[in-house]
Amino acid sequence: MLAVTNSAINAIAMGFATFFVLVGSSTLVSLFKHWIPKQVRISCYIIIIATFVTVADYTLLALIPEVHKELGAFVPLIVVNCMILGRQEAFASKHPVGLAIADALGTAIGFLFALFTLGSVREILGNGSLFGISLFGPHFEPWVVMLLPPGGFIMLGLILLFFNWLKEKRASMLCEASNLEYKI
């Protein structure tokens, strides 16, 4: 999925396709959890997920064929997304429908946000634009690597580095605050 997040539009399309698949499959898995034999549960989950992926793929093809062409074979690869299968196995198959949907919504929104962040930053650095609108004018020198698949890994690494820095900063601030309480 990192490879196709080279623009904000692609990231949003892939995020919403994944959103649809995750919420739909979590709903069905939770509904049918008592009727799915334990011996074939993973196979059944994959069939359910594949059904929703097919619907998402054909919907993209019918409604926005340009984006579907850009995403290429990556939409069908949603079937093997470990996050989706993992949520079915770990949560939807063990909880009521309402909780399964809530879990799927939370996971899908977080995933959509992550893809959008990756796609937006990669498009800004790689093209100097966002949603095709130029941000820096004609003198901007694009970072072409950001539009290539390695740019996704570079950006993911930078985002993870940023969040780890925030975590460390917060931990040090909490430590300092607790030290102040002991001195008072």
Side-chain angles (χ1 to χ4, degrees), residues 3 6-7 122-127 142-152:
N6 57 359
S7 72
R122 287 181 67 196
E123 182 179 356
I124 290 168
L125 296 176
N127 279 336
W143 299 5
V144 179
V145 70
M146 285 303 178
L147 299 177
L148 301 172

Side-chain angles (χ1 to χ4, degrees), residues 98 108 126 133 138 146 161 172-173 178:
I133 300 168
M146 285 303 178
L161 181 68
S172 71
M173 288 174 60
S178 67

